[in-house]
Amino acid sequence: MIDEITYIPYEQTVFSATQTGINVSSPWLSLDVDVEDTRKAVIMQVLDRIASGAELISDGEIQEFLAFFAGYPVLHATPRVLAPGRTITYSSDAGELLRSDGPRQFLEVLNPFPDIDIADAFSYFPDTWEWDVDEIASESRIAAAEMLFDPISAYTAIRARRLQFQIEQSGIAHTLLRNIEALRERDEPRFFKILAILLSQQFYVTRECGSCLGPAIEHLPLISDQIRAYADEEIHHDRLILKSIRELTDQPEAEFAFTPEIRLEIEVIKYAAKTCALGFSALVSIMEGTVYPDSDPVGDILKKSSKPSAHIGVEAHFQINKRGNHTAIPETFVKKLPPVTERTVAIAARLAEVTIRLDSGLARTVLKHL
Ligand SMILES: [Fe+2]
């Protein structure tokens, strides 16, 4: 494939002029960018052309403008053109996933934990898959070759759906934060207990990180160098989370309560690590968050408690992710992939759909402890 990527804004993305420059916003992100006075007229023209539905892909100025935002989840990468010559394709297989009628059925197949009853723990999941895989495929189909798909386009198409899903579910996460904040004022000992449970979930993810990345390095050779570099960045992050937990409880690690959501989420990632480089990339992005506020929202609440130093570990971890823009790291994985098959697009989409449900479900389950 030729390397140059052209972008179009997600349908949820809006660019607008501000006093000092421009604002780009979507339901999950709002970003202000200052524009130098000498550039303002040109940029305003570009905004007008985008708003009037101009042909975005062939307009060099618009592409230059959009490329500035390529590091943020506000754009779809249109399928690239194939370079002439023989084309290598990447094809993954995941029978257990594709044979499942929905996320719950897939989890039934995957579940290694005798103490988790999937039907019971995930009764709030739909019976069938809900994302339109054909639509995701059509947004990533390489025009000249009907049955080849651009992995970067599939990645950005999947990203749009998972961000939309997260934003629709964000009410629960906000309720959780509000309730624990209220609990802090009402019953601080109980607040510390709940916070320890909440942080334990993050601890589980960081502790199990290696058991996901190890198999990925082994089974996904096309992206193993990139995953190795990423693994170096992630090492020992569980210690940071544990540092915070230890301020709140001296409960031994073996007694930490990990939710079915977080345990199955890790199992899905391990499965992806063995089956699909594209899907694995989409899942790493989910695990790394979406957009990063100035500081960790949970850390902020801890800071206001009578054990303010409990915020130090989680905040340090949060800042590592924010500084390194970790949610975008998997883009370096996807860029290494050749065109992919339609089945690979489907596998990646299904993996993302089940993972984002588990991810969003976590807040719901922790809320039940309150
Ligand atoms: Fe990270």
Side-chain angles (χ1 to χ4, degrees):
M1 270 180 293
I2 61 161
D3 281 342
E4 199 168 339
I5 302 171
T6 51
Y7 297 99
I8 54 172
Y10 284 147
E11 61 181 39
Q12 298 95 329
T13 301
V14 179
F15 292 98
S16 52
T18 64
Q19 291 264 306
T20 55
I22 52 168
N23 170 270
V24 51
S25 73
S26 63
W28 47 85
L29 173 75
S30 176
L31 197 69
D32 286 308
V33 181
D34 288 344
V35 177
E36 285 169 33
D37 286 342
T38 52
R39 295 273 298 151
K40 267 192 179 146
V42 176
I43 296 293
M44 292 312 138
Q45 272 180 15
V46 166
L47 290 192
D48 284 346
R49 292 216 292 287
I50 292 174
S52 66
E55 180 52 66
L56 305 180
I57 296 168
S58 56
D59 186 318
E61 247 171 14
I62 291 179
Q63 284 304 316
E64 195 188 323
F65 170 78
L66 292 177
F68 179 82
F69 298 97
Y72 302 95
V74 290
L75 305 173
H76 175 59
T78 61
R80 286 166 293 172
V81 179
L82 276 184
R86 233 172 81 90
T87 306
I88 308 161
T89 55
Y90 175 74
S91 172
S92 49
D93 201 4
E96 301 83 356
L97 177 68
L98 293 181
R99 278 195 295 275
S100 300
D101 293 330
R104 197 168 46 218
Q105 207 189 347
F106 174 57
L107 295 179
E108 293 273 14
V109 179
L110 208 59
N111 182 21
F113 305 112
D115 63 319
I116 297 180
D117 178 344
I118 298 290
D120 182 46
F122 302 104
S123 58
Y124 65 97
F125 273 27
D127 292 328
T128 53
W129 298 105
E130 295 195 334
W131 290 7
D132 188 339
V133 166
D134 291 339
E135 200 180 70
I136 295 171
S138 77
E139 288 170 23
S140 48
R141 180 173 286 118
I142 294 171
E146 278 296 292
M147 293 322 282
L148 291 180
F149 299 82
D150 187 330
I152 299 182
S153 306
Y155 178 89
T156 58
I158 289 169
R159 185 178 63 183
R161 274 128 186 115
R162 71 108 170 151
L163 289 166
Q164 184 61 41
F165 182 86
Q166 269 175 310
I167 214 74
E168 284 161 12
Q169 302 288 318
S170 63
I172 302 172
H174 287 135
T175 305
L176 176 65
L177 284 178
R178 251 198 330 271
N179 287 12
I180 54 178
E181 174 77 71
L183 185 62
R184 181 180 66 77
E185 284 162 20
R186 205 174 61 236
D187 182 352
E188 205 185 41
R190 187 155 166 70
F191 161 81
F192 288 135
K193 240 174 121 177
I194 296 291
L195 260 289
I197 293 174
L198 191 60
L199 295 182
S200 305
Q201 313 313 308
Q202 226 182 322
F203 172 69
Y204 187 77
V205 172
T206 44
R207 190 187 76 184
E208 295 301 316
C209 184
S211 69
C212 299
L213 298 181
I217 290 168
E218 185 189 336
H219 294 279
L220 308 174
L222 286 173
I223 58 173
S224 57
D225 287 348
Q226 283 67 30
I227 298 173
R228 221 173 268 121
Y230 171 61
D232 286 346
E233 285 226 20
E234 291 294 315
I235 200 149
H236 298 327
H237 284 183
D238 52 333
R239 292 183 189 171
L240 291 172
I241 308 300
L242 194 58
K243 186 172 150 66
S244 282
I245 295 175
R246 281 288 161 253
E247 303 260 348
L248 305 176
T249 176
D250 41 27
Q251 189 183 37
E253 201 182 309
E255 286 171 25
F256 286 0
F258 304 124
T259 61
E261 280 80 3
I262 216 70
R263 289 160 75 194
L264 268 303
E265 194 168 358
I266 290 296
E267 294 309 308
V268 176
I269 299 173
K270 283 187 199 164
Y271 179 82
K274 286 187 218 131
T275 52
C276 182
L278 181 60
F280 181 77
S281 305
L283 304 199
V284 170
S285 182
I286 290 174
M287 299 312 288
E288 288 290 354
T290 304
V291 284
Y292 306 105
D294 289 340
S295 52
D296 186 75
V298 174
D300 291 346
I301 297 176
L302 279 170
K303 213 171 166 180
K304 286 187 251 170
S305 75
S306 65
K307 296 178 178 175
S309 55
H311 96 285
I312 293 172
V314 273
E315 181 63 22
H317 182 243
F318 177 85
Q319 290 300 336
I320 290 170
N321 286 342
K322 180 181 166 77
R323 226 178 305 120
N325 195 18
H326 279 197
T327 191
I329 284 181
E331 290 164 31
T332 65
F333 308 172
V334 178
K335 281 183 181 152
K336 298 299 287 182
L337 298 178
V340 301
T341 60
E342 189 167 19
R343 187 164 49 181
T344 302
V345 174
I347 290 168
R350 294 297 184 231
L351 286 170
E353 185 178 340
V354 64
T355 302
I356 202 65
R357 280 195 182 279
L358 290 167
D359 205 71
S360 302
L362 177 63
R364 191 181 176 281
T365 297
V366 176
L367 201 53
K368 278 198 297 195
H369 282 89
L370 278 166

